[in-house]
Amino acid sequence: MSSQPYVTFHDGRSIPQLGLGVWKASNEEAEEAVAEALRLGYRHIDTAAAYQNEEGVGRGVKAAGLPRDEVFVTTKVPNELQGYETATRSIDDSLSRLGLDHVDLVLVHWPSPWRGKYVETWQALIDAQKAGKAISIGVSNFEPEHLDKIIAETGVTPVINQIELHPRFQQARMRAENVQRRIVTESWSPLGQGKSLEDERLGAIAQRLGKTPAQVIIRWHIEIGAVVIPKSVTPSRIAENFAVFDFTLSEEDKAAIAGLDSEDGRIGSHPSTATF
Ligand code: NAD
């Protein structure tokens, strides 16, 4: 298998382009999935305080027995803990649940604009980074106006913006907005929460390449330059989702996948109007 790619941030750090997502996994499931993924060669795990499985993730990381600097761990500050003091405490509590003295990346989970607190939350991340609690800092679900506001008010640009992105919701506009600001795009729900896997056109590409639909979709994210974090707690799928470094998509395949983009492809909430 070819070696896995890394993407470099504007702060000089880099992130393994493919990671394991663990949303909706229990502590026990996350522990096993993380240990298995790291055994298979994954070096990047995406969790969040809101997933309530940081303890399990931390146990899985420990069980793998890898040097700390070889594993990239991301967590996120939940919406209800936005605000300077509460976000600072949230990061401390995440570290203690993970059993780590720092994470590689911490994100503001959503802008949650109705709370009016994402700028001070971002300031808490800036100071957490200065205190050594996070190596890099970023955001999730930020629209251009939210990015511009935190950059203008703090002078600090997030390294990454984790957004909903999958073949039925390709986010060309938002990806270009990120690029303009030197922000890496990261795809959440990269498999469309499993729904994209049933698409016949993807199935045809997969069959021709001798790959599975999940592998074709993950490969597509890699080729568009996005960091990608498919979720599974099933060992065979965790392995399948990592076996994507020994093939490429042709221009024709990529054009076919571009054609799956849809106006109403969004699965999750719109970040500007979400009420959570
Ligand atoms: P996903 O698109 O990764 O799909 C996951 C589902 O697809 C699994 O539950 C499983 O049923 C299925 N699946 C996975 N691999 C498969 C395979 N090889 N074959 C067949 N089925 C397979 O969905 P997700 O969990 O929503 O997103 C991935 C990760 O993104 C999450 O775990 C989380 O870490 C992150 N996320 C972040 C946000 C955010 O707001 N920042 C929101 C949603 C998800």
Side-chain angles (χ1 to χ4, degrees):
M1 188 199 297
S2 319
S3 64
Q4 59 182 304
Y6 281 66
V7 173
T8 303
F9 294 144
H10 72 64
D11 69 0
R13 303 287 179 164
S14 51
I15 183 170
Q17 197 174 355
L18 174 55
L20 179 76
V22 295
W23 183 33
K24 292 184 182 160
S26 66
N27 274 302
E28 290 65 34
E29 288 172 325
E31 178 177 353
E32 285 182 25
V34 166
E36 177 65 5
L38 295 173
R39 196 183 65 73
L40 288 164
Y42 285 74
R43 291 293 180 267
H44 166 189
I45 311 296
D46 182 87
T47 186
Y51 302 167
Q52 297 182 17
N53 58 21
E54 289 170 309
E55 278 121 343
V57 167
R59 288 198 296 268
V61 169
K62 284 231 160 49
L66 292 162
R68 174 67 187 89
D69 63 1
E70 285 185 24
V71 186
F72 193 105
V73 179
T74 301
T75 195
K76 313 184 189 89
V77 171
N79 301 352
E80 66 274 18
L81 296 180
Q82 285 210 10
Y84 188 86
E85 301 294 339
T86 41
T88 303
R89 230 174 11 251
S90 173
I91 295 167
D92 290 343
D93 291 346
S94 284
L95 291 178
S96 95
R97 285 189 293 266
L98 285 160
L100 299 174
D101 66 1
H102 71 276
V103 282
D104 298 276
L105 179 65
V106 61
L107 307 178
V108 181
H109 207 145
W110 290 82
S112 198
W114 66 273
R115 294 175 197 268
K117 290 186 176 170
Y118 63 85
V119 177
E120 52 174 298
T121 304
W122 180 239
Q123 188 62 53
L125 268 62
I126 293 168
D127 292 343
Q129 182 184 32
K130 287 189 187 137
K133 297 173 191 171
I135 294 181
S136 296
I137 54 173
V139 296
S140 180
N141 301 300
F142 272 44
E143 292 286 309
E145 60 184 301
H146 310 130
L147 293 173
D148 288 341
K149 190 155 188 213
I150 59 170
I151 295 167
E153 295 202 18
T154 68
V156 180
T157 301
V159 295
I160 202 164
N161 189 9
Q162 184 181 116
I163 56 174
E164 179 178 347
L165 203 170
H166 43 79
R168 274 183 44 76
F169 192 60
Q170 298 188 14
Q171 295 262 40
R173 178 189 62 89
M174 202 53 233
R175 281 192 275 143
E177 296 279 0
N178 286 337
V179 167
Q180 262 179 33
R181 295 167 179 79
R182 300 188 305 143
I183 297 171
V184 172
T185 296
E186 178 170 23
S187 308
W188 66 250
S189 294
L191 305 174
Q193 295 179 359
K195 293 186 198 77
S196 298
L197 300 170
E198 289 145 28
D199 187 277
E200 278 176 16
R201 291 156 293 181
L202 277 167
I205 296 171
Q207 200 171 20
R208 184 164 38 73
L209 291 168
K211 291 285 169 184
T212 66
Q215 288 170 328
V216 168
I217 298 174
I218 294 164
R219 183 72 214 173
W220 172 76
H221 287 277
I222 287 172
E223 294 193 14
I224 64 169
V227 173
V228 56
I229 46 171
K231 183 248 175 168
S232 179
V233 294
T234 310
S236 59
R237 286 176 172 174
I238 295 173
E240 176 185 327
N241 294 349
F242 197 67
V244 294
F245 305 122
D246 58 355
F247 74 109
T248 53
L249 299 172
S250 67
E251 289 308 317
E252 202 181 357
D253 296 334
K254 281 186 270 195
I257 296 171
L260 304 182
D261 198 16
S262 164
E263 288 277 303
D264 58 0
R266 191 190 289 276
I267 299 171
S269 299
H270 192 294
S272 294
T273 51
T275 52
F276 49 86

